[in-house]
Amino acid sequence: MRRTTILRTALSSALLLATAALGFTPASAADRPAAPSRADASLSPGLLTAMRRDLGLTEEQAVDRLRAETAARGVEGPARRAAGASYGGSWFEADSGRLTVAVTDRARRAAVEATGADAVLVRHTARQLDAAKARIDRLEAPAGVASWHVDPEANTVAVHVVEGHRDDPGVRAFVARAHRAGPVTVRTTGYAPRTFAAGTVGGDPYYTGNVRCSIGFSVHGGFVTAGHCGSPGAAVHGWDRSYIGTFQGSSFPENDYAWVSVGSGWWTVPVVLGWGTVPDQLVRGSAEAPVGASVCRSGSTTRWHCGAVLAKNETVNYSQGAVRQMTKTSVCAEPGDSGGSFISGDQAQGVTSGGWGNCSGGGQTWHQPVNEILNRYGLRLHTT
């Protein structure tokens, strides 16, 4: 890499190249807070600051919530197995700090509760809801339809229609066909989804052509990011315009993921940037957070912001085409944040795809789950 600021110790050198590999001009080593210990990494001051700002929590509430979410992740697998074929989905209840599991068989309720989760009775199984959504996925959606996903708490497939377009002939035809697919609830949204790539401006993490995007997570041999940011074979340049590598794989629409090889003096580290205002977050794994859990995002335009997981396996209907298996969050984002990191505690969640709104007035953002990207390309997440 072509930086004139050479750090004087092995530790500060590693930190500089960690930020350079992620395309960010770092603060000096003296300005950078010490990395948190392994025991308290998920409770770093920067993470708590972002959660206080974006979720309206006190520091004590943020700490309690992170610990409760960690416990809920551990309960989710055993609770799902206890529910068996009657499993109807699950979500994290922020008010109670517990995982709730839906079941269709009353006889399974006690077994689910024995795992430490709460249980509620519903009419439809997750398998039935997923099948209904899969049938909707085969439909061609008009621009007036924003997205659709399984809502386990409401025990339905929620179809989101852009406000003012519900009576469009194409939308009405789509909704009628969706209703025939299974249990469907139509909801109205004020915004159409869009991707968060941006034109070239100075001081950004990486460029491909005249597009600026954000790096997601380091993998061994490169990093993952959003597919709409570049095509296979496209050259990638860093914040200083030096060559990083090339897009080795990319898919958009249908999916929104990609991975970029890293070389030419750049290398990867398991770090999500705090942008000099919060400590950098270490990445220790990719355990998936449940619906309702808190999640934070790092991007080159708007830096750190936090929110909650709103839905999983949502199909998002961008103007370029539908993208499937997305996770919806209440975290804001803006152009240039595309491809950036979504992280819950110290667990990688996904890369920023698109959404609506901004970080001044608020909005929602979807991310492509990171485990799907790793599995698709046979990649291994770089962790501590």
Side-chain angles (χ1 to χ4, degrees):
M1 181 178 340
R2 305 169 180 84
R3 275 190 75 83
T4 57
T5 304
I6 305 301
L7 299 179
R8 296 174 176 81
T9 68
L11 175 60
S12 57
S13 177
L15 285 171
L16 173 64
L17 286 160
T19 53
L22 291 172
F24 169 61
T25 307
S28 70
D31 295 333
R32 185 176 297 281
S37 69
R38 187 177 186 90
D40 65 0
S42 64
L43 305 181
S44 71
L47 180 61
L48 299 178
T49 296
M51 291 180 70
R52 290 200 307 268
R53 178 193 64 204
D54 295 332
L55 296 176
L57 303 175
T58 66
E59 182 168 334
E60 182 179 3
Q61 289 171 333
V63 169
D64 288 344
R65 178 158 177 172
L66 285 169
R67 288 173 175 161
E69 290 171 357
T70 298
R73 285 199 296 268
V75 166
E76 190 169 25
R80 180 168 187 162
R81 289 190 292 273
S86 76
Y87 177 73
S90 62
W91 60 93
F92 178 78
E93 292 278 6
D95 290 342
S96 67
R98 293 169 61 84
L99 186 76
T100 298
V101 175
V103 293
T104 59
D105 184 353
R106 186 181 300 272
R108 292 281 184 171
R109 187 167 187 166
V112 169
E113 291 175 340
T115 68
D118 294 331
V120 296
L121 290 172
V122 295
R123 181 177 179 182
H124 306 289
T125 67
R127 180 172 293 182
Q128 290 170 329
L129 295 174
D130 288 342
K133 181 185 177 292
R135 287 190 283 271
I136 299 172
D137 279 343
R138 291 193 284 270
L139 305 178
E140 187 73 25
V145 177
S147 65
W148 54 96
H149 72 275
V150 171
D151 183 342
E153 191 169 1
N155 200 227
T156 188
V157 179
V159 175
H160 298 268
V161 174
V162 179
E163 188 174 10
H165 291 272
R166 189 159 183 166
D167 291 328
D168 291 358
V171 172
R172 293 179 65 179
F174 179 89
V175 168
R177 296 180 69 187
H179 275 298
R180 291 195 291 271
V184 164
T185 301
V186 178
R187 300 171 182 171
T188 301
T189 177
Y191 302 90
R194 61 190 175 95
T195 57
F196 284 128
T200 300
V201 295
D204 299 309
Y206 82 88
Y207 303 89
T208 175
N210 66 343
V211 172
R212 167 171 64 90
C213 282
S214 300
I215 292 167
F217 292 97
S218 291
V219 296
H220 290 272
F223 64 82
V224 294
T225 187
H228 69 264
C229 292
S231 301
V236 175
H237 295 81
W239 60 270
D240 61 352
R241 295 294 187 169
S242 65
Y243 176 75
I244 296 177
T246 59
F247 277 85
Q248 297 298 312
S250 179
S251 178
F252 180 80
E254 189 67 26
N255 305 290
D256 195 5
Y257 51 59
W259 85 280
V260 174
S261 61
V262 167
S264 302
W266 297 72
W267 65 83
T268 64
V269 291
V271 170
V272 172
L273 289 175
W275 298 99
T277 58
V278 299
D280 294 345
Q281 187 70 26
L282 299 178
V283 179
R284 304 196 189 279
S286 58
E288 189 175 334
V291 170
S294 64
V295 67
C296 296
R297 180 193 54 72
S298 180
S300 62
T301 300
T302 57
R303 303 182 178 182
W304 269 94
H305 286 275
C306 295
V309 178
L310 300 179
K312 296 184 181 182
N313 192 24
E314 181 155 28
T315 300
V316 182
N317 191 36
Y318 294 124
S319 61
Q320 300 94 328
V323 177
R324 311 187 195 285
Q325 297 180 309
M326 303 282 274
T327 296
K328 179 165 66 176
T329 76
S330 62
V331 188
C332 66
E334 295 181 11
D337 287 328
S338 278
S341 319
F342 265 90
I343 189 166
S344 182
D346 56 8
Q347 299 295 306
Q349 298 299 304
V351 299
T352 304
S353 174
W356 60 265
N358 55 50
C359 290
S360 298
Q364 295 178 344
T365 303
W366 287 271
H367 70 70
Q368 178 84 65
V370 69
N371 287 330
E372 181 182 356
I373 310 173
L374 300 177
N375 292 335
R376 168 63 180 83
Y377 294 117
L379 301 171
R380 187 158 59 96
L381 188 67
H382 195 165
T383 61
T384 57

